[in-house]
């Protein structure tokens, strides 16, 4: 109950010493949001290691948000989820058992 209250109407909740909790309408959406969140964190850590934060212009953010919103359909993330599932199966399919 406390986690749900802390999450509110947002999709990401950072837990101290545990990491992120991401919510989506479907498992596919949650997976893709987690993947995008992970990549954003990697990019931030790598760019900060160069010395100074990189400021992303508002125009770039607006285009990104517009393009993301165009992808928000009922099966958002489904194709990505299936692609990663196939990739994991090639490495080791025992996770299915």
């Amino acid at each position: 109950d406390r986690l749900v209250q802390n999450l509110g109407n947002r999709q990401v909740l950072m837990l101290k010493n545990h990491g992120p909790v991401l919510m989506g309408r479907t498992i596919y959406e949650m997976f893709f949001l987690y993947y995008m969140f992970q990549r954003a964190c990697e990019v931030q850590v790598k760019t900060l290691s160069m010395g100074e934060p990189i400021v992303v212009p508002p125009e770039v953010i607006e285009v990104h948000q517009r393009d993301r919103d165009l992808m928000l359909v009922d099966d958002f993330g489904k194709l990505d989820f299936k692609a990663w599932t196939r990739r994991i199966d090639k490495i080791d399919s025992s996770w299915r058992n």
Side-chain angles (χ1 to χ4, degrees):
D1 289 338
R2 197 173 65 171
L3 287 175
V4 173
Q5 286 178 339
N6 288 330
L7 187 63
N9 64 350
R10 294 172 297 278
Q11 290 183 286
V12 179
L13 175 66
M14 289 297 292
L15 299 176
K16 187 176 181 178
N17 299 323
H18 293 286
V21 173
L22 280 94
M23 302 293 289
R25 293 172 291 156
T26 65
I27 188 75
Y28 307 121
E29 181 179 348
M30 180 279 311
F31 172 82
F32 195 65
L33 291 173
Y34 187 89
Y35 176 75
M36 290 191 308
F37 183 80
Q38 175 68 27
R39 290 291 297 139
C41 291
E42 289 175 11
V43 169
Q44 183 177 12
V45 167
K46 288 177 182 179
T47 55
L48 286 174
S49 71
M50 296 187 317
E52 291 189 27
I54 295 175
V55 178
V56 179
E59 306 83 51
V60 173
I61 294 171
E62 288 173 19
V63 168
H64 176 269
Q65 296 300 325
R66 182 203 66 211
D67 292 348
R68 186 212 56 197
D69 291 346
L70 290 173
M71 292 177 51
L72 293 177
V73 294
D74 289 338
D75 58 354
F76 174 69
K78 186 174 186 176
L79 296 176
D80 301 276
F81 182 85
K82 289 185 175 208
W84 277 101
T85 302
R86 288 190 304 272
R87 189 172 181 180
I88 292 168
D89 279 341
K90 286 181 182 178
I91 297 168
D92 181 5
S93 63
S94 67
W95 66 273
R96 291 186 175 269
N97 298 333

